[in-house]
Amino acid sequence: MTNKHTEHSSYREKLLEHLFVGELLKLSWTNGDCEIEVAKPEVDNSGYDVIIESNGVVRHIQLKASYHGGKTSKQKVHVKLGTKPSGCVVWMYFDEETLELGPYLFFGGAPGERLPSIEMAKIAKHSKGDSSGYKAERPNIRELNKSDFTVYKSVSELHAALFGVKA
C-alpha cells in the first residue's frame, strides 16, 4: 500500500500551509481583532512561503512540517531569509491521521527584528547525488538543528512570539 503522505506530499504541504494560516486567522477572529493579513510570494527565491502581518509586525515565514514521531532533527534554511523584515522559520508538527497541528517550533528574532544570523551554520548539501554519487554543497542554504528552535505548544503562544502581545 502506498503511503498517502509520500505519494501526495505536495498536496499535503499546501494543505498544512492553509491549516497553519487558518489557525492564525481563527485566533484573530476569536480574539475579536480580525487584523491578520496574509500574502504569498509570486516567486520563491528568498526562502519564505508566506508573509503575515499582525500587530504592526510583518513576518516573512518559511514553513516546515514533520509528523509526530518523525525522525527529522534539522531543517534547511535559505540565507536570504535573513534579509527580510522579521524573517523566521516555523516548524510545525502534525498528527498523521487528523492533521491536527502542534507543537510549533520557532527560529527567529523578536517581533520587528531580523532572523538571527545563520551564516556560520553548516552549509547544506543536495539530498541527491550526481551520477557519481557526489552531493554538491548548496552555498545559500544552511542547516539548523532542532535545538536551535524554541518550542511553543499552542498557536496562541506562537502568535505572541511572532507578533508580540497587544498592550
Side-chain angles (χ1 to χ4, degrees):
M1 182 167 128
T2 304
N3 183 325
K4 180 168 52 173
H5 288 277
T6 303
E7 185 178 343
H8 302 289
S9 60
S10 295
Y11 184 96
R12 185 192 74 186
E13 179 181 336
K14 190 56 69 177
L15 173 58
L16 291 170
E17 178 182 311
H18 284 282
L19 290 172
F20 171 71
V21 169
E23 287 296 312
L24 288 173
L25 291 170
K26 182 169 67 172
L27 179 66
S28 182
W29 177 269
T30 59
N31 286 345
D33 54 33
C34 300
E35 70 156 20
I36 289 180
E37 294 185 19
V38 180
K40 294 274 301 163
E42 187 71 29
V43 176
D44 176 13
N45 68 348
S46 295
Y48 60 91
D49 299 298
V50 65
I51 304 163
I52 301 177
E53 181 177 356
S54 182
N55 200 23
V57 177
V58 177
R59 287 282 192 179
H60 289 70
I61 303 173
Q62 181 176 22
L63 293 173
K64 301 290 188 178
S66 294
Y67 60 88
H68 291 289
K71 304 219 184 307
T72 303
S73 64
K74 56 185 103 181
Q75 291 291 348
K76 295 176 181 175
V77 178
H78 200 294
V79 294
K80 284 179 75 177
L81 186 60
T83 68
K84 298 299 175 190
S86 294
C88 64
V89 182
V90 172
W91 183 357
M92 54 191 163
Y93 276 81
F94 65 93
D95 181 278
E96 274 187 288
E97 295 299 317
T98 66
L99 298 183
E100 179 89 17
L101 300 180
Y104 303 89
L105 283 66
F106 172 77
F107 181 82
E113 294 181 6
R114 292 201 183 276
L115 184 77
S117 177
I118 61 172
E119 291 290 334
M120 301 309 293
K122 182 180 176 184
I123 297 173
K125 292 188 176 191
H126 285 277
S127 56
K128 296 180 183 175
D130 63 15
S131 60
S132 68
Y134 174 72
K135 294 181 179 180
E137 288 187 338
R138 299 175 69 189
N140 293 322
I141 308 294
R142 299 294 188 273
E143 287 185 353
L144 296 179
N145 295 315
K146 193 173 189 177
S147 61
D148 295 324
F149 290 76
T150 302
V151 179
Y152 295 102
K153 292 182 180 181
S154 69
V155 73
S156 60
E157 289 177 3
L158 178 65
H159 181 276
L162 288 168
F163 305 109
V165 179
K166 285 188 173 182

